[in-house]
């Protein structure tokens, strides 16, 4: 079932700040600070929405065990006991525990999903639960397999998964491995390999873990359904799960938490690395070209139609490519994130990525209308102080505030910060978040940071904490009272198409419990 995810609130929490700084170049001088070390092949950092006290680090494997570790914030204390251990995982160089995604409502339900290759090399997407969600250890016995995909070779497993702004779970898969995609699997719509998949893990009631997750009450099918607006759903030729295709080995994807755009770093064969971009609101079905194209270049492989100009909508070309021969020891892209954090306002909207072999870290700003601007090599700038170095970069990641992290294969995690970052009052909030911008509730923090941290709700997703506006004043008389409540109850249960005056306070097109709760929170308020 389609719905808003972490909601409009957190996804659009930075709208006001981003609009105010959109015209500014990313001029903040950056550096990095190491926040964790001694890890076993870390390759991802993430956090549940609104959980600003923890970051979760994925360890690819130690021996045959993949682990998720908890980093307590702001002390940067790495807990000894893993949040979750998964064993046995396969031990190939590109195998093991590869991905982690928390449910948009994790803080209520405790559900999360992992992506790993088992000891036989099969990709498995598995659901787990932590109960209570605040626990630092998950329930290993709660494991429920969602999806299994056979892998013909040990490389190109993809492994990223994440929830989109539509609330669906997206899963990236590699082409199955070897070289030049010998089975032309990425172009084969009857296979899961070389694709971006999109599934509904909640069912019709929008709640995971219930009997309807598989779409059939009383059955024991895998706990997911396929959204009916997927491009190959139903009678259309192709697997119902497929959202986009033509990928070689998507190594680190991300959603822009403000715009909902999808970014894909896709590893090339031997000459070109690429960054693919899918704008929010896409209907899916994009063909990103592999194995017919590597970057913007025809491969000449058999069974291919090449579209070097990407004309006629046949293939979707990358928004950026770089060559192994001209970019100094480059060999494998590590896709990253668009910065949407609180601490460096003028960096909002800038995308960071890296190359695994050269250790180069670069950034740029992109819009479909203007293309790439502000392209910057940040390798030297982000080199940490002292003898510590960031090498063999495996991933970027975000915490709940939207601040960015870098993991390297040497067991380290680094945080990107302003070179002049200060925290004079030792409250773990960069002073930049406290000294400028909107603070409607006068608590000393930017409104955007309040919303991202979960300290303030933003049910209508306009970037203003709900306590600062008169949500529920449906008749516009300056107060929230009986007349407003009556109007909402009259329209309660109204399907998509409702307006604010009908009681659709959160703007999702329905008048439901979320709207009633918002009104009752402000009942009796004079604006």
């Amino acid at each position: 079932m389609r719905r808003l995810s972490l909601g409009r609130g957190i996804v659009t929490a930075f709208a006001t700040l981003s609009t105010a700084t959109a015209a500014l170049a990313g001029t903040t001088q950056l550096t990095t600070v190491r926040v964790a070390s001694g890890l076993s092949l870390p390759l991802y950092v993430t956090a549940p929405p609104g959980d600003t006290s923890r970051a979760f680090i994925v360890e690819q494997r130690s021996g045959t065990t993949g682990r998720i570790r908890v980093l307590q914030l702001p002390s940067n204390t790495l807990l000894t006991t893993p949040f979750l251990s998964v064993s046995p995982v396969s031990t190939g160089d590109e195998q093991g525990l590869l991905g982690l995604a928390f449910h948009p409502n994790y803080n209520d339900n405790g559900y999360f999903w992992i992506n790993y290759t088992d000891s036989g090399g099969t990709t498995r997407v598995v659901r787990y639960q932590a109960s209570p969600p605040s626990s630092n250890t998950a329930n290993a016995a709660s494991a429920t397999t969602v999806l299994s995909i056979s892998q013909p070779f040990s490389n190109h497993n993809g492994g990223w998964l994440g929830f989109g702004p539509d609330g669906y779970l997206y899963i990236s898969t590699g082409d199955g491995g070897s070289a030049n995609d010998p089975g032309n699997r990425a172009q084969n719509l009857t296979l899961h390999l070389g694709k971006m998949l999109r599934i509904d893990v909640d069912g019709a009631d929008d709640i995971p873990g219930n009997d309807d997750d598989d779409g059939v009450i009383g059955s024991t099918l895998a706990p997911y359904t396929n959204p009916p607006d997927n491009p190959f759903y139903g009678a259309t030729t192709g697997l119902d799960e497929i959202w986009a295709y033509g990928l070689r080995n998507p190594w680190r994807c991300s959603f822009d938490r403000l715009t909902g755009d999808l970014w894909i770093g896709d590893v090339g064969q031997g000459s070109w690395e690429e960054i693919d971009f899918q704008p929010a609101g896409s209907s899916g079905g994009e063909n990103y070209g592999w194995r017919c194209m590597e970057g913007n270049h025809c491969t000449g492989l058999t069974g291919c139609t090449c579209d070097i100009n990407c004309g006629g909508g046949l293939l979707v070309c990358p928004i950026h490519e770089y060559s192994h021969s001209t970019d100094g020891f480059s060999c494998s892209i590590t896709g990253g994130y668009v910065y949407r954090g609180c601490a460096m306002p003028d960096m909002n909207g800038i995308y960071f990525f890296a190359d695994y072999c050269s250790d180069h870290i670069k950034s740029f700003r992109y819009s479909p209308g203007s293309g790439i601007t502000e392209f910057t090599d940040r390798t030297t700038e982000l080199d940490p102080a002292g003898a510590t170095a960031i090498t063999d970069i495996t991933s970027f990641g975000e915490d709940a505030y939207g601040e960015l992290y870098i993991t390297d294969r040497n067991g380290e995690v680094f945080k990107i910060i302003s070179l002049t970052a200060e925290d004079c009052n030792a409250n773990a909030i960069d002073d930049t978040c406290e000294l400028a911008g909107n603070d409607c509730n006068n608590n000393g923090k930017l409104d955007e940071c309040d919303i991202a941290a979960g300290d303030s709700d933003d049910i209508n997703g306009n970037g203003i904490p709900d306590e600062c506006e008169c949500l529920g004043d449906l008749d516009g008389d300056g107060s929230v009272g009986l007349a407003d409540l009556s109007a909402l109850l009259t329209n309660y249960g109204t399907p998509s198409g409702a307006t604010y005056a009908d009681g659709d306070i959160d703007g999702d097109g329905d008048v439901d419990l979320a709207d009633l709760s918002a009104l009752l929170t402000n009942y009796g308020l004079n604006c």
Side-chain angles (χ1 to χ4, degrees):
M1 176 182 247
R2 180 182 292 270
R3 69 249 170 242
L4 298 172
S5 70
L6 30 150
R8 304 163 68 95
I10 293 179
V11 170
T12 62
F14 308 97
T16 304
L17 181 63
S18 298
T19 300
T21 60
L24 299 176
T27 56
T28 297
Q29 190 172 357
L30 306 178
T31 187
T32 53
V33 58
R34 190 171 68 181
V35 297
S37 60
L39 294 152
S40 180
L41 304 178
L43 47 65
Y44 195 47
V45 178
T46 189
D51 187 345
T52 59
S53 64
R54 298 181 295 179
F56 291 75
I57 303 169
V58 175
E59 293 180 308
Q60 184 179 1
R61 63 180 179 276
S62 175
T64 60
T65 301
R67 299 181 299 206
I68 301 172
R69 305 287 298 278
V70 176
L71 182 69
Q72 290 185 316
L73 305 175
S75 64
N76 297 329
T77 302
L78 187 66
L79 298 186
T80 302
T81 301
F83 177 69
L84 179 71
S85 295
V86 181
S87 183
V89 300
S90 47
T91 58
D93 190 52
E94 298 181 21
Q95 297 176 313
L97 179 57
L98 304 176
L100 166 65
F102 291 99
H103 192 273
N105 296 321
Y106 175 84
N107 291 329
D108 294 324
N109 60 43
Y111 282 109
F112 63 96
W113 286 254
I114 65 169
N115 187 328
Y116 75 99
T117 48
D118 66 17
S119 58
T122 297
T123 287
R124 298 194 182 277
V125 175
V126 180
R127 185 188 72 199
Y128 285 86
Q129 187 177 31
S131 183
S134 59
S135 174
N136 286 323
T137 55
N139 178 11
S142 67
T144 302
T145 298
V146 175
L147 193 65
S148 297
I149 304 172
S150 297
Q151 296 284 356
F153 300 97
S154 63
N155 58 338
H156 302 182
N157 298 144
W160 172 86
L161 69 171
F163 283 90
D166 52 13
Y168 295 131
L169 183 63
Y170 290 70
I171 304 164
S172 71
T173 67
D175 64 8
S178 189
N180 291 313
D181 190 5
N184 202 12
R185 297 176 179 89
Q187 292 295 318
N188 187 338
L189 294 175
T190 67
L191 298 174
H192 288 112
L193 299 171
K195 311 297 190 298
M196 182 65 71
L197 310 178
R198 177 180 183 249
I199 63 175
D200 183 348
V201 295
D202 288 354
D205 64 0
D206 287 348
I207 301 173
N210 289 344
D211 188 30
D212 73 333
D213 289 357
D214 59 8
V216 183
I217 300 297
S219 76
T220 55
L221 300 172
Y224 76 92
T225 58
N226 297 302
D229 59 346
N230 275 2
F232 304 104
Y233 182 85
T236 305
T237 300
L239 295 177
D240 291 355
E241 292 90 349
I242 295 174
W243 177 249
Y245 63 109
L247 297 169
R248 183 177 181 272
N249 188 30
W251 187 249
R252 294 324 179 197
C253 315
S254 63
F255 283 100
D256 184 329
R257 61 167 61 195
L258 173 63
T259 65
D261 299 327
L262 175 61
W263 296 73
I264 305 170
D266 198 16
V267 178
Q269 175 61 51
S271 300
W272 297 92
E273 305 297 310
E274 69 181 72
I275 298 171
D276 298 313
F277 175 86
Q278 185 188 74
S282 166
S283 298
E286 287 88 346
N287 182 353
Y288 291 106
W290 178 252
R291 72 173 190 163
C292 302
M293 295 183 68
E294 181 186 11
N296 291 312
H297 311 272
C298 297
T299 62
L301 296 170
T302 58
C304 277
T305 300
C306 186
D307 183 14
I308 196 166
N309 296 313
C310 300
L314 180 63
L315 302 176
V316 178
C317 280
I319 61 168
H320 179 65
E321 65 171 5
Y322 64 91
S323 167
H324 292 192
S325 61
T326 61
D327 206 38
F329 308 109
S330 296
C331 78
S332 180
I333 192 169
T334 299
Y337 286 83
V338 175
Y339 178 76
R340 297 294 182 188
C342 298
M344 299 172 286
D346 74 318
M347 302 304 295
N348 267 276
I350 292 181
Y351 178 76
F352 288 77
F353 70 100
D355 184 85
Y356 176 79
C357 298
S358 68
D359 304 323
H360 288 169
I361 304 172
K362 300 184 179 182
S363 71
F364 59 80
R365 195 183 298 274
Y366 174 78
S367 69
S370 304
I372 288 176
T373 58
E374 299 178 42
F375 194 95
T376 306
D377 188 327
R378 301 201 180 260
T379 310
T380 300
E381 183 181 10
L382 292 175
D383 183 33
T388 305
I390 307 175
T391 59
D392 300 337
I393 298 168
T394 53
S395 189
F396 292 79
E398 285 181 312
D399 63 20
Y401 279 120
E403 302 303 326
L404 297 188
Y405 296 76
I406 302 171
T407 62
D408 72 16
R409 201 170 175 82
N410 300 313
E412 302 167 304
V413 177
F414 298 83
K415 183 179 182 181
I416 299 176
I417 64 171
S418 167
L419 183 64
T420 57
E422 295 185 49
D423 183 16
C424 297
N425 55 4
N427 65 349
I429 301 168
D430 188 278
D431 293 343
T432 307
C433 287
E434 302 182 285
L435 300 178
N438 299 314
D439 180 20
C440 69
N441 54 14
N442 298 312
N443 68 347
K445 291 190 297 181
L446 286 179
D447 296 339
E448 293 81 7
C449 296
D450 285 333
I451 296 168
D455 296 331
S456 295
D457 291 327
D458 181 22
I459 190 173
N460 58 358
N462 64 354
I464 302 172
D466 290 347
E467 67 264 28
C468 298
E469 53 184 341
C470 204
L471 287 184
D473 179 18
L474 307 184
D475 58 11
D477 67 352
S479 64
V480 182
L482 183 59
D484 304 300
L485 178 60
S486 297
L488 187 148
L489 292 176
T490 298
N491 295 308
Y492 193 84
T494 299
S496 183
T499 66
Y500 185 87
D502 298 323
D504 179 24
I505 296 172
D506 60 9
D508 67 351
D510 301 312
V511 182
D512 51 22
L513 184 59
D515 303 302
L516 178 60
S517 298
L519 187 148
L520 292 177
T521 298
N522 286 337
Y523 192 82
L525 178 67
N526 291 313
C527 307

